[in-house]
Amino acid sequence: MDQCVTVERELEKVLQKFGGYGQHCERSLEELIEYAGGLRREILQASEQDGELSGTLSLVLTQCCKRIKDTVQKLASDHKDIHSSVSRVGKAIDKNFDADISSVGIDGCWQADSQRMLNEVMVEHFFRQGMLDVAEELCQEAGLSIDPSQKEPFVELNRILEALKVRVLRPALEWAVSNREMLMAQNSSLEFKLHRLYFISLLMGGAANQREALQYAKNFQPFALNHQKDIQVLMGSLVYLRQGIENSPYVHLLDANQWADICDIFTRDACALLGLSVESPLSVSFSAGCVALPALINIKAVIEQRQCTGVWNQKDELPIEVDLGKKCWYHSIFACPILRQQTTDNNPPMKLVCGHIISRDALNKMFNGSKLKCPYCPMEQSPGDAKQIFF
């Protein structure tokens, strides 16, 4: 993380310099244009009167040329300074990040099945992003056969999201109405919030849309039980249509952030209906890899330095625990307090009669004959009485 902060600091310096250079360049050029324009007008007036330039104007013209030359040289020098700052960013990246990450790879991990799975995950990611042509090209090159029915939902979702980004609600409303029963089954408020946004868009039209807004308010009837207060606020805002909602106590209804929120809500609920995760599995895996990679490189170097390569010989297990943060928590985790290992399908958590929980491996190692003494309390019990639990 410290490496990222160091590189980010160098990048901020470049951005600040670039912003300052742009402002200085624009200001200097505007001053030059204004100065040269004034001199041009003086020259035109003098030529109309005398036909020849006076000595004073010739001197001023010489000074103008020198000023332009000096300004251009100064801007070019500042531009070179920015280039040197950009190169320092590259040096900071080379210094703080190890480019060779092959040492943490596992030989033979990309067999045919694994490669095919990775290609399928990449295709799904491109479908999610609306990059259908890229996904189809990858399918052809990788020899994948994708069912057209797998692509159709993503085509529709991306079409609706693109419309929402330009504040067009009709496609999303039609989709929500057609899937109303399933959305209500998962307690979704998507359809109500879409109707609410459409109603607010009518309010922004002023008193001319009052009749249409009242007529559209009938769409709130199915949601009156769960969204009564929100509907009351929307109805109360009608009183201020003539003076403008922006000048009323209901100005919060015009918050632009709600358009970004509705895109997130639509993505979440639509993915839930399709049985998909909100985030792309490829994006999640890539982010987790970026967090874990520095720790893996460090532990690999320590293992090689101490010549204990046998510590890391399991393809599905890491030699250390890598904290990916709460964002990557997708299921409950139980670590055995005795063996200090995370439980798995082959080594599940077991509940003792006394209520304490340990792993099955710990249970097998601790019982003596037909009796087992709980490591936390003095209660003796039979190992066969322990029950597997599920989180």
Side-chain angles (χ1 to χ4, degrees), residues 38 42 80:
E42 291 183 14
K80 289 181 180 179

Side-chain angles (χ1 to χ4, degrees), residues 167-203:
R167 302 193 176 187
V168 177
L169 292 166
R170 184 59 59 186
L173 277 168
E174 292 174 353
W175 182 90
V177 170
S178 63
N179 294 278
R180 176 178 294 175
E181 293 184 2
M182 290 186 289
L183 288 171
M184 293 182 69
Q186 65 181 30
N187 297 321
S188 170
S189 60
L190 173 63
E191 185 181 353
F192 169 74
K193 291 185 176 181
L194 288 170
H195 284 302
R196 177 181 177 274
L197 269 180
Y198 193 89
F199 186 84
I200 292 173
S201 67
L202 293 176
L203 295 181

Side-chain angles (χ1 to χ4, degrees), residues 290-310:
C290 290
V291 175
L293 191 59
L296 298 182
I297 292 175
N298 290 338
I299 192 64
K300 186 70 174 180
V302 171
I303 290 174
E304 292 177 351
Q305 183 179 2
R306 297 184 179 180
Q307 297 181 351
C308 50
T309 54

Side-chain angles (χ1 to χ4, degrees), residues 5-125:
V5 173
T6 302
V7 174
E8 186 177 7
R9 192 181 299 119
E10 292 293 336
L11 185 60
E12 287 177 354
K13 291 180 181 178
V14 173
L15 293 176
Q16 290 176 357
K17 280 189 175 183
F18 190 78
Y21 173 76
Q23 295 176 359
H24 173 67
C25 182
E26 184 177 356
R27 186 169 55 252
S28 299
L29 292 177
E30 286 178 353
E31 291 176 355
L32 274 181
I33 291 173
E34 184 178 355
Y35 178 70
L39 182 59
R40 179 175 179 273
R41 288 190 294 271
E42 291 183 14
I43 293 174
L44 290 175
Q45 291 177 358
S47 62
E48 290 176 357
Q49 295 175 359
D50 302 332
E52 293 183 0
L53 292 179
S54 63
T56 304
L57 277 178
S58 298
L59 180 61
V60 171
L61 186 60
T62 303
Q63 292 176 346
C64 178
C65 293
K66 184 177 183 301
R67 180 176 176 180
I68 292 174
K69 183 178 179 180
D70 293 342
T71 302
V72 171
Q73 289 179 346
K74 179 66 169 60
L75 294 177
S77 176
D78 293 342
H79 192 264
K80 289 181 180 179
D81 185 45
I82 292 179
H83 275 290
S84 63
S85 299
V86 172
S87 65
R88 281 195 291 271
V89 174
K91 292 178 181 177
I93 293 174
D94 294 337
K95 180 179 178 181
N96 290 279
F97 293 97
D98 190 344
D100 183 16
I101 61 176
S102 60
S103 60
V104 297
I106 299 176
D107 295 335
C109 65
W110 293 116
Q111 302 297 335
D113 291 341
S114 300
Q115 186 66 47
R116 179 183 57 79
M117 187 181 300
L118 176 61
N119 289 332
E120 289 176 352
V121 171
M122 292 172 63
V123 168
E124 180 185 325
H125 176 78

